[in-house]
Amino acid sequence: MKQQRAISQRIARLRPSATVEMTEKVRAAKASGRRILSLASGDPQITTDPRIIEAAHKALQAGDTHYGPVLGDPRLRNALAAHEKRRSGAQYDDADIIVTPGGKFALLTALMGTVEADDEVLVPEPGWVSYGPCVEMCGGKPIILPMLDRIDLAVMEAAITPRTAAVIVNSPVNPTGRVLSQEEIDGLVDLADRHNLWIIFDQVYSDLVHTASFPSPQATAKGRAFTFVVDSFSKTFGMTGWRLGHLAVPPGLSKPVSRFIQHSIYCVPGAIQAAGLKALEIYDEVVPGYREMFRRRQSDAAARLDAIPGISCVAPDASFYLFPAVDTDDRALAARWLDLHDVASVPGSAFGGAGAGHLRLTVTAPDREIDEALTRIASAGIL
Ligand code: PLP
């Protein structure tokens, strides 16, 4: 038998996503009849509002079933620019907004537009599992910088070489839920400016921030000139399966960057974009309630976890994550809780070595399930 030709090294050497693997493990355990209580899911588990579903339905019935504009529906791009203006004060021209199938593709599009073969991209960790692989898919090299509690600008500056093209910055951070301070953002903008770097700013949790302000690099014209903003409808509106997000690019770059869209997906389906437009219309009616629900759950769960010997947990200022420190091996603990107590979590080290000694827990399951999971964790403890 002839041996099959190998798949590309580009794909073969990618690490599988630890969070997707955990989701699949939980799915398989449930399918085999086990009742798993999941504190592992990065899906907010909010039912998409029926008005959003209706908007997609109507668009399909009205015949929106064809190729559409590559950059996205002009009405949606206008609404996204207005949404960003309201949040950060950044005045984007509609022309600088590109609608994408989710935040993940917005990230890939930004990297495709900025990274040359063998370029280096700085990636603080613990960080979201897809940053490194996306950089590698674009031919670049992720430079991992362990930074658990704050962006250490001196360490970041020391890591810059003539090959450094960009830095990926995420706020609020997955997995910790931390919101970067104004001082950190100002320092990053200054650093990127001095070293002529792109900032790729992932703000997919920015609608779930509990504090009054949300600092971002695009808030000043200086930062906006070299920042790509990655955003998404997934977490804000419970629309993970709709695959809808956007990329805001530095002034004038949408045309060249959109060549990647033209030659890959062409466009996001019109009905999905109609749903997004409706979601933004009802934002004030629905999002504050989601945000408050997650804040309440984070604060309750953090207090219960913190009371367990060997676990220390403080509720962060955003998102639906908790990142408790555990006084033991995080991978072994997550495996034990799943195997012996049917509680799913993600080990912090799945988000990079800097996350070791922590677990990432989410408060996206129904209240009842979170309550039961925390009761089991309290009686299991960490030993
Ligand atoms: N960025 C971060 C930090 C995330 O946690 C996620 C999803 O988990 C994404 C981007 C991508 O989200 P989506 O592609 O669903 O918009």
Side-chain angles (χ1 to χ4, degrees):
M1 258 271 270
K2 206 171 123 200
Q3 210 188 353
Q4 190 179 40
R5 195 180 171 87
I7 59 161
S8 77
Q9 274 305 305
R10 190 186 305 114
I11 297 298
R13 66 168 183 239
L14 291 181
R15 249 182 304 135
S17 157
T19 46
V20 171
E21 284 202 327
M22 175 52 94
T23 309
E24 294 305 323
K25 215 168 153 183
V26 170
R27 217 191 294 277
K30 283 182 174 166
S32 75
R34 278 170 66 193
R35 182 166 165 268
I36 305 292
L37 301 168
S38 180
L39 300 182
S41 172
D43 188 313
Q45 300 187 55
I46 299 164
T47 308
T48 305
D49 189 280
R51 288 166 288 182
I52 298 175
I53 297 173
E54 179 62 19
H57 195 202
K58 270 198 185 138
L60 286 170
Q61 282 180 322
D64 195 347
T65 54
H66 300 271
Y67 292 133
V70 169
L71 296 175
D73 182 328
R75 290 164 303 174
L76 179 59
R77 293 163 66 210
N78 182 265
L80 286 165
H83 188 60
E84 181 58 41
K85 165 101 181 123
R86 202 166 84 147
R87 179 176 25 226
S88 67
Q91 180 66 66
Y92 275 94
D93 192 310
D94 300 357
D96 297 325
I97 307 281
I98 306 174
V99 179
T100 60
K104 202 176 281 217
F105 202 81
L107 171 77
L108 188 62
T109 304
L111 290 166
M112 276 287 182
T114 52
V115 175
E116 299 282 4
D118 299 327
D119 272 357
E120 294 171 359
V121 177
L122 307 180
V123 183
E125 277 191 353
W128 184 46
V129 293
S130 290
Y131 294 137
C134 281
V135 170
E136 286 168 356
M137 279 193 278
C138 294
K141 191 170 161 209
I143 303 297
I144 304 302
L145 303 174
M147 294 180 184
L148 177 61
D149 298 324
R150 71 189 173 95
I151 298 291
D152 188 330
L153 292 164
V155 169
M156 196 170 262
E157 186 147 25
I160 295 173
T161 74
R163 290 241 59 116
T164 311
V167 51
I168 299 180
V169 185
N170 175 213
S171 178
V173 180
N174 178 5
T176 62
R178 194 174 79 84
V179 178
L180 267 59
S181 68
Q182 188 65 58
E183 202 187 338
E184 288 174 290
I185 294 288
D186 291 347
L188 278 162
V189 168
D190 176 60
L191 188 80
D193 186 39
R194 282 190 288 109
H195 291 276
N196 203 14
L197 306 180
W198 300 107
I199 294 178
I200 298 174
F201 186 63
D202 178 347
Q203 58 173 24
V204 306
Y205 297 96
S206 55
D207 288 309
L208 302 177
V209 171
H210 312 316
T211 48
S213 72
F214 172 66
S216 58
Q218 69 274 20
T220 60
K222 179 177 163 186
R224 194 148 66 251
F226 44 77
T227 299
F228 286 77
V229 181
V230 169
D231 212 333
S232 170
F233 286 77
S234 289
K235 316 289 178 170
T236 312
F237 296 100
M239 291 179 69
T240 51
W242 294 73
R243 311 310 301 133
L244 185 61
H246 81 274
L247 179 68
V249 300
L253 288 191
S254 63
K255 218 162 170 195
V257 169
S258 73
R259 283 178 206 138
F260 175 57
I261 307 278
Q262 285 177 26
H263 292 299
S264 54
I265 57 154
Y266 191 128
C267 66
V268 171
I272 302 294
Q273 297 189 65
L277 192 57
K278 176 55 77 179
L280 290 174
E281 265 173 48
I282 63 172
Y283 181 96
D284 286 336
E285 273 180 71
V286 298
V287 177
Y290 303 149
R291 195 185 293 135
E292 176 51 26
M293 175 180 75
F294 291 131
R295 195 202 57 75
R296 171 183 57 76
R297 289 180 180 169
Q298 280 174 313
S299 140
D300 292 352
R304 286 174 69 176
L305 288 161
D306 199 53
I308 301 170
I311 300 185
S312 102
C313 188
V314 178
D317 284 333
S319 76
F320 37 66
Y321 296 119
L322 294 169
F323 204 60
V326 293
D327 218 352
T328 184
D329 180 273
D330 53 301
R331 284 185 188 273
L333 183 61
R336 201 157 55 241
W337 282 356
L338 182 61
D339 295 342
L340 303 181
H341 307 285
D342 290 340
V343 174
S345 61
V346 183
S349 47
F351 302 92
H358 295 76
L359 292 177
R360 193 199 70 174
L361 305 178
T362 62
V363 291
T364 54
D367 284 318
R368 236 178 331 97
E369 275 184 42
I370 298 174
D371 177 53
E372 196 178 336
L374 292 172
T375 304
R376 288 191 198 181
I377 288 175
S379 68
I382 64 158
L383 296 175

